[in-house]
Amino acid sequence: VAAELLCGGRLMRRQWLPVLSLLVLVLLTLSLLQTTARWKQTEATSTPELNTSASASPASASLSFSMAAIRWGHAVNRQAQLDAALRNNSTDMIEADVLVAADGVLIMAHPPETASDLTLEAFLTQVAAHNTAGQHTAAAKPVGIKLDFKSPRAVAPGLALLQRLWPAAHQDIVWLNADILQGPGGGAPLFDADEFVRVCTDTCPHATLSLGWTTGETHVWNFGYKPAEVDAMLQLCEKHQLQRVTFAMSAIHTRHSHKQVLRLLSARDSFSITFWGPASSDELEWINSELSAHRVYIDVKPVALVHNVMLAMADFFPKY
């Protein structure tokens, strides 16, 4: 499997298989030894607290806690999932995906799913009602939402619903997300970047834009966000004079992109980064030691074994 990943799914000449298999075996052994050492270190020490000493939170003023400590309700695309998220007092942000169904109705679903028992209208109505009811209890806090648009057709009508159903006082805890530029291993984006930014800022000027890159299957040669990909994002932000932005970055693809992460954060004090997807312990340690918890959102999951192999291989490739 690792050999096939290394070759990007291409068929190999038979005479190269023994050599390549030996190389993969060596790298796998090194990776497993390294992983075992990390596990022992983790057992011997407690999980470090994230650094909270830097600048003030750039977005979501109603969320008055450390950004890195935010608890996510992820892919809340069904009614039962929404009910559970709203009952859970520890939920800070609810992330859900927006699609246009075959009948033209906006629904909460992630491709390849094309149907759902939860519409965007019902989703917004229920979360807004939850936040409004919570104003009358001392311990209540508003729940933020992240709308991850999966289709350009969903953006304008979705924002119109948001404008009609969502309280203006809570617009600062609304995130509008889309993969608008091409990134590591990713294909051409479905969205026109300028149009997405323009419609979002015109309709919901106080919302936070969550701007991401397309990403693809991870191989050793596309592990990093390249300078040109970051240049394109910063140029877009400058062109539209954006202030409230969090850059959605695949955590596993930032292993070789530390300089680019720092470039994004240094461009403007109000910019932040949201790390998503699989993350290695090394990456989380780097985030903890080098980045402020007030500039980082973390929505990650443990790295899989195959990714550990790829990480070991990727260390032989250039960093960006």
Side-chain angles (χ1 to χ4, degrees), residues 79-311:
Q79 183 62 55
Q81 294 172 325
L82 180 58
D83 292 339
L86 293 178
R87 285 195 305 268
N88 187 349
N89 291 330
S90 66
T91 301
D92 301 312
M93 291 284 291
I94 295 177
E95 186 268 347
D97 305 293
V98 186
L99 273 181
V100 182
D103 59 2
V105 175
L106 297 182
I107 62 171
M108 317 310 290
H110 190 291
E113 296 290 332
T114 58
S116 175
D117 64 351
L118 183 61
T119 65
L120 175 59
E121 182 172 3
F123 175 90
L124 292 173
T125 299
Q126 292 175 66
V127 181
H130 170 86
N131 287 345
T132 301
Q135 293 176 352
H136 305 292
T137 61
K141 61 184 177 184
V143 176
I145 58 172
K146 176 182 177 180
L147 300 179
D148 190 352
F149 290 97
K150 297 302 182 183
S151 165
R153 291 176 53 218
V155 177
L159 294 180
L161 277 176
L162 181 67
Q163 193 175 41
R164 177 165 64 87
L165 299 172
W166 190 261
H170 289 158
Q171 198 179 103
D172 63 333
I173 51 173
V174 172
W175 288 18
L176 306 173
N177 182 84
D179 294 334
I180 58 173
L181 295 177
Q182 189 167 6
L190 299 175
F191 295 83
D192 180 287
D194 289 299
E195 181 65 11
F196 179 80
V197 168
R198 185 192 64 77
V199 173
C200 288
T201 52
D202 286 350
T203 309
C204 303
H206 300 296
T208 294
L209 292 185
S210 175
L211 305 180
W213 297 257
T214 62
T215 57
E217 188 175 351
T218 304
H219 298 296
V220 291
W221 53 83
N222 66 16
F223 244 74
Y225 287 86
K226 297 179 175 62
E229 294 165 349
V230 171
D231 288 342
M233 185 66 79
L234 291 176
Q235 289 165 8
L236 179 72
C237 293
E238 181 64 25
K239 178 180 179 180
H240 294 273
Q241 291 297 294
L242 299 180
Q243 301 289 331
R244 302 173 65 86
V245 177
T246 186
F247 301 108
M249 304 188 78
S250 167
I252 201 167
H253 286 96
T254 60
R255 181 180 178 86
H256 281 188
S257 310
H258 291 176
K259 290 182 181 178
Q260 304 312 314
V261 170
L262 296 175
R263 282 184 63 206
L264 289 165
L265 290 176
S266 64
R268 198 179 292 272
D269 289 341
S270 58
F271 288 171
S272 66
I273 288 178
T274 300
F275 293 101
W276 60 269
S280 68
S281 57
D282 282 349
E283 208 56 38
L284 291 176
E285 289 173 9
W286 178 78
I287 292 171
N288 170 67
S289 63
E290 298 296 330
L291 306 179
S292 165
H294 293 294
R295 305 290 301 279
V296 171
Y297 296 93
I298 299 176
D299 183 19
V300 300
K301 56 187 177 182
V303 70
L305 175 60
V306 67
H307 286 130
N308 271 324
V309 177
M310 301 302 294
L311 289 168

Side-chain angles (χ1 to χ4, degrees), residues 2 21-35 305-310 312-313:
S21 298
L22 178 61
L23 174 62
V24 168
L25 181 61
V26 171
L27 291 173
L28 178 59
T29 302
L30 291 174
S31 176
L32 290 175
L33 290 173
Q34 187 179 36
T35 301
L305 175 60
V306 67
H307 286 130
N308 271 324
V309 177
M310 301 302 294
M313 295 178 181

